[in-house]
Amino acid sequence: MKIIETDRLYLREFVMHDKHELSKVLSDPESMQYYPHPFNEEEVKNWIKWNIENYKRDKHGLWAVILKEGDTFIGDCGITMQNIDDEKLPEIGFHVIKEYWNKGYATEAALACREYALNVLGYSKIFSYTTLRNIPSQKVAEKIGMKTYKFFEKNGEQQIVQVIYNNEG
């Protein structure tokens, strides 16, 4: 089921059949360099299960990102409820398969998710967070209008939290 559509992409709910394609990003050491480790097959399956549970509970989660041209799976993007410095907050997250980096897909998907979170789900603000080392993700957040909100520590590493409020951008 399509959730969001942009000029070049559409986002749809995950199905377990997506496991192989999703592992191209979640199991890739370079793509997952800002995570504690790349995911194994079981962790990829659990990622999909977690998102399916999120759809039921929260009415959103990370969705499969599909390039319209060729109906090609290129990653995930969406809104999940995250524990950010002991607060449960809506967060935009994304992962794009390496061969599709630097083509604007993460920004296009994240911008669509920002609009969905603020205008369809009715959140008054939406967040993004990552390690201080993850400059590419911070740049995507900036491109969709997010500003630095605060810093906190997680897994022994400094994290940056970015935010956009509903009346901005």
Side-chain angles (χ1 to χ4, degrees):
M1 174 169 109
K2 286 184 187 175
I3 306 296
I4 299 172
E5 195 164 343
T6 69
D7 287 345
R8 301 181 295 168
L9 310 168
Y10 68 87
L11 283 65
R12 63 158 172 80
E13 291 185 352
F14 276 120
V15 293
M16 200 48 73
H17 184 72
D18 292 321
K19 184 180 65 165
H20 175 72
E21 293 301 312
L22 185 59
S23 70
K24 289 179 182 178
V25 66
L26 296 184
S27 299
D28 177 62
E30 189 177 354
S31 297
M32 298 298 282
Q33 64 185 299
Y34 304 110
Y35 276 71
H37 62 271
F39 288 11
N40 62 34
E41 186 177 343
E42 190 65 24
E43 289 169 314
V44 173
K45 250 177 32 184
N46 288 338
W47 187 259
I48 293 171
K49 287 179 189 172
W50 173 64
N51 280 290
I52 291 170
E53 289 168 14
N54 289 338
Y55 306 151
K56 292 175 187 162
R57 184 186 58 246
D58 301 324
K59 307 291 184 249
H60 57 77
L62 291 168
W63 298 296
V65 177
I66 311 298
L67 185 59
K68 288 179 181 177
E69 184 180 314
D71 210 35
T72 306
F73 184 106
I74 66 166
D76 69 9
C77 186
I79 305 121
T80 56
M81 299 306 294
Q82 293 288 328
N83 182 345
I84 300 175
D85 201 20
D86 294 325
E87 256 189 293
K88 199 142 180 123
L89 300 169
E91 191 239 4
I92 292 178
F94 51 85
H95 305 91
V96 175
I97 295 170
K98 202 169 18 188
E99 69 185 89
Y100 299 100
W101 287 0
N102 300 312
K103 296 176 179 7
Y105 297 133
T107 301
E108 186 173 331
L111 182 60
C113 287
R114 179 195 89 172
E115 292 304 302
Y116 188 86
L118 298 174
N119 299 323
V120 176
L121 298 173
Y123 287 114
S124 59
K125 55 192 171 200
I126 186 90
F127 297 83
S128 182
Y129 85 96
T130 188
T131 70
L132 280 178
R133 297 179 297 121
N134 190 345
I135 303 300
S137 288
Q138 292 169 44
K139 285 184 177 175
V140 169
E142 288 168 11
K143 286 179 189 174
I144 69 166
M146 292 186 159
K147 307 272 189 271
T148 300
Y149 179 67
K150 69 178 177 178
F151 300 89
F152 76 105
E153 193 171 306
K154 180 179 177 183
N155 300 328
E157 195 169 356
Q158 276 290 106
Q159 309 286 315
I160 182 172
V161 181
Q162 293 162 288
V163 67
I164 189 163
Y165 296 89
N166 200 9
N167 57 358
E168 295 177 7

